[in-house]
Amino acid sequence: MRIYYPIIFSGIEIILIMCANAARRSNKKIGKTVEYMLLSSTVIVFTQIMIAAIPTYWVARIFFNIYYISIDVTLYLVMMYCYEYTHQQIRGTWWDYVLRVLIGADILSIFGNIFGEYFTKTESFVVGDQTVYVMIFGKAYQGHLFLCYMLFMIALLAIFRKIVNTASVYWGSYIIIAASLLLIVVINLIYLVTDTTVDYSIIGYAIGGFLIYYFSIRKPPMLLVNNMLASIITEMNDGIVLFDTDRVCVYANNKARELLKVDSRDYVKCEEELLNWLQESNRYKTNDVFLEDTFVRMINGRKVSLKIVSRALRKGSHEIGICYQITNYSKEVELHKKERYMAFHDPLTGVYNRAGLFELIEQRLRENPDKRYYLMALDIRDFKGVNDVLGRKSGDELLVRVAKQLEEFDSLDAIYGRLVGDKFGIMLERDKFHAKRIPQMLNNLRFVESETSYMIVIHMGIYEIQENDPAPVDVMFDRAIFAISKIKNSFEERMVFYDETARKDMLWEQSISGELGKALEHHQFKPFLQPQVDRDGVSHGAEVLVRWEHPTEGLLLPNRFINIFEKNGMILKLDKYMWESACQLLKEWKDKGFENYYLSVNISPRDIYLMDVGQYLKDLVLKYDVSPKNLKLEITETMISDAKRCIDLIQQLQEYGFVVEMDDFGSGYSSLNTLKNIPVDVLKMDMGFLRESADTKKGEEILSFVVELSKKLNIGCIAEGIETKEQLDFLMKCGCDVFQGYYFSRPIPVYEYEEKYMKKQG
């Protein structure tokens, strides 16, 4: 039988080593202490293996003493483990140092016993046919035994102190550790009081060590975790209701009972109330184990938004019940409403902002495809002036007043909001639109500042939404705002409808503005000449008029592009191009012997603000070596608004030798002032003056007077716009000498002019 002891002890040794290795690899803080304790226990077991496997006197004598030394070390480590496991402090205290001294003295005493045998004595016995060695305890052994039990008691004291001072939920793991220590003590006492040659307490050390390892390292504290989870579930803000597999309610936490309006732990009532809720859900079926739906309930006199989520509870592949989680998300709903309000409302005026207005309009158009609507853009006239003069605060107050005025449209079921800046938008059914009433609703506003009352003018652009209109809402409003540009400077007109012609004009303006550079580069602009003739029908010169040979649009007349270039400032590039073209042509004529012919070119009012016109033209005639008197320059009466700049330019040009002509004389309102103040060389009278006059006789008298006056002032006179022989006869009778108009010739290409007027006359 004794031969099996080494095998049994070796198995225990292997288990302890494996547990020690696992403790070392664990991430737990106490793992290192458990590892050292288990390794120390392996020494105890190893000594018994050696004694049983090699039954000789000196092996027994040496390993018995090593056994007692390892008992001291192991029990000290057990004590340290208990203090660390219960989170109490002993390491480094004076009591710890006392114990270390006592253990050190005991170890030295045992080590000396190997040589003197005053502590224990090794004796042999014959059992059957085998010799067995045992230790006979001397009096000094009692001290060792006392120290061992004292270490046990200190370790147990740490455990029991923790049990007394902690919540009962933590007792389970501490009681198991205490029971493991008591098991070791009991087995050791049995060994001491029985007459046996084998130390069965080894088994106690092994079992105790394994239990300590398992409950410290391996086993999670499920009882503690379950109690914690139960506490959390009981007090959590979400309601939790648990059903078993028979769909019977077995638990409802405090919040669930509050939401279900059940006062006590009446789970039957909880079950009834919850099932009543679930029956209202379209997504609920009796056999469903998953549900997610929302409900609104009156709880304590207020509306509460609830979300219920259910899910099956499983252990492995088996369903063990259903959990219903009831969440009160009223705060999230209110927060979402607030965020949505802020996202879709203007913070200053409180009406819908651009995003909110567009969304509502799109929604209404989708829901009412058969109805027709008007989209109206509102613009406050001179709002920038209000901000600049009265201040930003007054401007904001005005915007609030306008937004308040829009409330009158509520009676018409209109949608309205603030687009941007001082612009507001409205969508109204076409059948509810009244052309007289709508402007009155918006233009009765007065703004008072410092006891001064200001009349507020609001312009309205209206876009009619067509059936299946493909334009996005922002484009619709852009078109309505574009329509306002037609009446922007008017106090009388307050409302204007958008039409497609205006849009096409806008697109055309954008198109040709982008093509100017390329057109100049490719010489698409051509000079056409309209002859100026004397009384004998002889032409000595012509006015240069531009034509655009557009690659896709064909030959474009000036009315298609001149006003656009004047508005966007591009006219300077075109004028410079035409001036140079005229100089090139004069140079060609000079080289051909026609140096007495002249050309008349126009100067745009914008040119004098963008460059030094006089110096540029002087450099140009010098470049092409032509006479300045052959390049006549036409200015318009509108340039005279800046009289000083205009007079300075005319005098500069005249000093260089240029002839300055006043074009369209009589079409303005200051003709006499022009004659008095502006030192021009030639007046060009437009016969349109007669066509636009209701009293032809009076018009003729005025023209006759102007011709006579120009002669007295020694100013040349040209009549343009002549279309009939009667007009020509009248002007000749008045004394006019030079004529221009369709009666003689339309504007013609250069080659045609040369063929008709130069070669024939030459």
Side-chain angles (χ1 to χ4, degrees):
M1 182 68 182
R2 191 170 180 82
I3 193 172
Y4 296 108
Y5 293 152
I7 298 174
I8 296 172
F9 290 160
S10 295
I12 294 173
E13 182 85 341
I14 292 171
I15 292 172
L16 290 175
I17 291 174
M18 290 174 63
C19 290
N21 184 56
R24 179 180 60 82
R25 288 187 285 106
S26 72
N27 294 322
K28 292 194 174 183
K29 188 176 180 180
I30 203 171
K32 189 64 67 176
T33 302
V34 173
E35 177 193 3
Y36 292 155
M37 183 184 67
L38 293 175
L39 289 176
S40 178
S41 299
T42 61
V43 177
I44 296 175
V45 177
F46 180 72
T47 60
Q48 295 303 308
I49 293 173
M50 294 303 294
I51 293 170
I54 309 175
T56 63
Y57 174 80
W58 277 104
V59 169
R61 182 170 175 171
I62 292 172
F63 280 97
F64 269 130
N65 286 283
I66 294 174
Y67 166 78
Y68 293 124
I69 291 173
S70 60
I71 289 289
D72 282 350
V73 174
T74 300
L75 291 178
Y76 175 76
L77 291 173
V78 168
M79 182 195 71
M80 296 304 294
Y81 160 79
C82 289
Y83 273 87
E84 187 173 341
Y85 186 69
T86 58
H87 304 286
Q88 300 179 65
Q89 185 63 35
I90 191 174
R91 191 186 300 274
T93 63
W94 67 270
W95 183 236
D96 180 34
Y97 291 124
V98 170
L99 290 176
R100 291 185 187 186
V101 170
L102 292 175
I103 292 170
D106 192 49
I107 289 173
L108 289 174
S109 175
I110 296 171
F111 185 76
N113 188 65
I114 296 175
F115 306 100
E117 288 198 320
Y118 55 86
F119 183 78
T120 58
K121 189 174 182 180
T122 305
E123 293 187 359
S124 61
F125 294 91
V126 177
V127 178
D129 58 350
Q130 293 182 345
T131 302
V132 178
Y133 293 91
V134 297
M135 298 296 292
I136 304 300
F137 305 126
K139 291 183 178 181
Y141 179 77
Q142 303 302 320
H144 166 75
L145 197 61
F146 174 78
L147 178 60
C148 290
Y149 283 109
M150 183 176 68
L151 291 173
F152 262 117
M153 294 306 297
I154 293 173
L156 286 170
L157 182 63
I159 297 294
F160 289 128
R161 186 189 299 135
K162 187 66 174 181
I163 292 174
V164 171
N165 293 322
T166 194
S168 59
V169 69
Y170 290 94
W171 289 2
S173 58
Y174 296 136
I175 290 174
I176 290 173
I177 299 300
S180 301
L181 297 179
L182 288 173
L183 175 65
I184 296 172
V185 173
V186 169
I187 295 177
N188 186 259
L189 287 174
I190 292 173
Y191 163 69
L192 291 176
V193 300
T194 57
D195 185 16
T196 178
T197 59
V198 179
D199 188 353
Y200 294 108
S201 64
I202 295 296
I203 299 174
Y205 282 113
I207 295 173
F210 178 77
L211 291 175
I212 288 173
Y213 158 76
Y214 180 75
F215 286 99
S216 300
I217 305 299
R218 292 286 296 179
K219 182 174 175 37
M222 290 308 300
L223 179 61
L224 173 61
V225 172
N226 289 336
N227 279 280
M228 286 182 171
L229 291 176
S231 178
I232 292 171
I233 291 173
T234 300
E235 302 300 329
M236 70 188 301
N237 287 326
D238 286 357
I240 299 294
V241 183
L242 301 179
F243 282 61
D244 63 15
T245 53
D246 295 322
R247 303 301 188 262
V248 175
C249 179
V250 295
Y251 175 79
N253 70 351
N254 296 339
K255 193 65 177 181
R257 294 197 300 274
E258 176 189 333
L259 296 174
L260 294 169
K261 294 189 282 190
V262 177
D263 296 331
S264 62
R265 293 180 178 271
D266 186 350
Y267 293 154
V268 174
K269 182 69 173 175
C270 290
E271 178 183 329
E272 291 175 356
E273 289 295 324
L274 181 59
L275 290 177
N276 287 337
W277 286 14
L278 297 177
Q279 294 295 339
E280 298 177 17
S281 173
N282 294 328
R283 305 179 188 179
Y284 176 74
K285 295 180 182 178
T286 306
N287 296 326
D288 279 355
V289 294
F290 178 80
L291 164 77
E292 182 172 342
D293 210 345
T294 56
F295 303 84
V296 177
R297 285 289 179 273
M298 293 296 297
I299 298 177
N300 298 327
R302 63 187 183 91
K303 280 187 177 181
V304 177
S305 299
L306 301 173
K307 179 171 69 175
I308 299 181
V309 178
S310 70
R311 53 180 56 84
L313 303 177
R314 297 183 179 278
K315 188 171 184 180
S317 59
H318 299 286
E319 180 184 325
I320 60 173
I322 299 176
C323 173
Y324 290 93
Q325 182 176 350
I326 310 172
T327 303
N328 181 351
Y329 72 110
S330 300
K331 289 183 179 179
E332 288 82 351
V333 170
E334 292 301 318
L335 180 62
H336 177 71
K337 288 181 179 178
K338 184 177 180 181
E339 289 176 346
R340 183 174 176 80
Y341 181 88
M342 293 176 66
F344 291 107
H345 285 78
D346 178 46
L348 175 64
T349 63
V351 298
Y352 285 108
N353 61 14
R354 183 183 179 91
L357 180 62
F358 284 14
E359 183 173 288
L360 280 179
I361 290 173
E362 290 168 354
Q363 179 180 340
R364 183 164 293 188
L365 292 175
R366 285 195 304 269
E367 294 173 353
N368 303 278
D370 298 330
K371 292 184 178 180
R372 301 276 72 83
Y373 293 93
Y374 283 145
L375 212 64
M376 297 177 283
L378 312 182
D379 180 67
I380 303 173
R381 179 186 170 92
D382 296 329
F383 178 75
K384 185 177 185 299
V386 175
N387 267 340
D388 293 343
V389 177
L390 302 180
R392 178 75 175 270
K393 183 178 179 182
S394 296
D396 289 347
E397 291 175 1
L398 175 57
L399 293 173
V400 173
R401 287 279 308 280
V402 173
K404 187 70 175 176
Q405 191 73 15
L406 293 179
E407 292 179 2
E408 292 196 22
F409 285 89
D410 288 337
S411 61
L412 301 176
D413 194 29
I415 303 172
Y416 55 85
R418 183 182 177 194
L419 296 174
V420 64
D422 64 324
K423 292 179 175 58
F424 292 81
I426 306 172
M427 188 177 82
L428 179 68
E429 280 187 52
R430 190 170 64 182
D431 294 341
K432 297 179 180 180
F433 179 85
H434 303 285
K436 292 184 178 180
R437 182 187 173 193
I438 297 299
Q440 290 175 353
M441 294 170 69
L442 294 169
N443 286 294
N444 294 325
L445 281 172
R446 300 193 72 84
F447 187 67
V448 179
E449 177 70 21
S450 301
E451 300 182 355
T452 302
S453 179
Y454 299 91
M455 184 66 186
I456 304 304
V457 177
I458 296 179
H459 287 129
M460 180 189 303
I462 304 173
Y463 175 83
E464 182 177 0
I465 302 177
Q466 304 298 320
E467 186 176 0
N468 299 321
D469 199 322
V473 175
D474 59 335
V475 173
M476 295 179 185
F477 272 117
D478 287 343
R479 293 175 180 177
I481 293 170
F482 173 76
I484 295 175
S485 62
K486 295 181 181 180
I487 58 171
K488 185 73 174 177
N489 299 318
S490 172
F491 280 93
E492 292 77 21
E493 291 187 85
R494 304 293 178 86
M495 184 173 67
V496 61
F497 278 83
Y498 169 84
D499 61 76
E500 195 64 22
T501 302
R503 176 173 173 269
K504 289 179 179 178
D505 289 344
M506 178 184 67
L507 295 175
W508 170 252
E509 179 178 334
Q510 293 173 347
S511 174
I512 66 167
S513 295
E515 294 179 18
L516 176 61
K518 185 177 180 181
L520 292 172
E521 182 182 347
H522 291 83
H523 304 288
Q524 294 174 7
F525 293 103
K526 304 296 182 182
F528 273 52
L529 306 181
Q530 188 170 35
Q532 294 176 350
V533 301
D534 59 15
R535 285 173 169 267
D536 299 325
V538 177
S539 174
H540 295 284
E543 180 180 0
V544 179
L545 299 170
V546 65
R547 298 292 186 268
W548 186 351
E549 289 186 349
H550 197 278
T552 58
E553 298 291 331
L555 190 67
L556 300 179
L557 298 179
N559 64 344
R560 297 289 305 278
F561 55 87
I562 289 295
N563 289 338
I564 296 173
F565 291 155
E566 285 183 340
K567 184 169 67 174
N568 60 28
M570 294 180 174
I571 191 66
L572 177 62
K573 293 182 179 180
L574 181 58
D575 281 349
K576 289 167 67 176
Y577 179 86
M578 295 306 297
W579 298 340
E580 186 152 5
S581 297
C583 287
Q584 289 174 343
L585 187 54
L586 289 173
K587 172 63 173 172
E588 291 177 11
W589 289 351
K590 178 182 176 181
D591 293 343
K592 294 176 181 179
F594 298 102
E595 60 183 19
N596 292 326
Y597 280 79
Y598 66 85
L599 291 174
S600 178
V601 295
N602 289 278
I603 297 177
S604 170
R606 277 187 172 249
D607 294 342
I608 65 175
Y609 296 98
L610 299 175
M611 64 174 296
D612 186 347
V613 174
Q615 186 62 47
Y616 182 84
L617 290 170
K618 178 185 176 183
D619 294 341
L620 203 57
V621 295
L622 289 174
K623 174 182 177 182
Y624 288 96
D625 188 26
V626 296
S627 174
K629 69 178 182 178
N630 290 341
L631 184 65
K632 297 186 178 184
L633 307 173
E634 295 186 12
I635 64 172
T636 60
E637 202 169 340
T638 55
M639 292 175 63
I640 304 171
S641 59
D642 190 347
K644 185 179 184 308
R645 185 186 291 267
C646 184
I647 291 171
D648 291 343
L649 174 62
I650 292 173
Q651 290 175 344
Q652 181 187 15
L653 292 170
Q654 288 171 338
E655 288 175 4
Y656 293 155
F658 292 102
V659 175
V660 180
E661 301 175 345
M662 175 63 67
D663 194 17
D664 297 332
F665 180 77
S667 61
Y669 296 96
S670 56
S671 298
L672 292 178
N673 277 331
T674 301
L675 288 176
K676 179 171 70 73
N677 298 321
I678 307 300
V680 295
D681 300 301
V682 177
L683 296 180
K684 291 189 72 174
M685 298 184 302
D686 190 350
M687 291 302 294
F689 176 79
L690 284 181
R691 291 192 298 273
E692 296 169 1
S693 174
D695 192 339
T696 306
K697 183 64 178 175
K698 187 182 292 185
E700 290 177 348
E701 291 293 337
I702 293 172
L703 283 176
S704 178
F705 171 75
V706 170
V707 173
E708 183 179 353
L709 183 62
S710 68
K711 288 183 177 295
K712 288 182 178 181
L713 295 175
N714 198 28
I715 297 175
C717 184
I718 300 176
E720 63 177 338
I722 299 172
E723 297 180 352
T724 65
K725 187 176 187 305
E726 289 76 15
Q727 292 174 345
L728 176 63
D729 292 342
F730 169 74
L731 289 166
M732 283 186 173
K733 182 179 177 182
C734 292
C736 187
D737 298 320
V738 182
F739 313 96
Q740 177 183 342
Y742 273 72
Y743 177 73
F744 301 100
S745 174
R746 60 180 173 76
I748 56 179
V750 172
Y751 76 88
E752 191 173 331
Y753 176 83
E754 292 175 343
E755 188 74 30
K756 185 174 181 180
Y757 293 98
M758 296 178 69
K759 291 183 179 180
K760 189 178 295 185
Q761 293 170 184

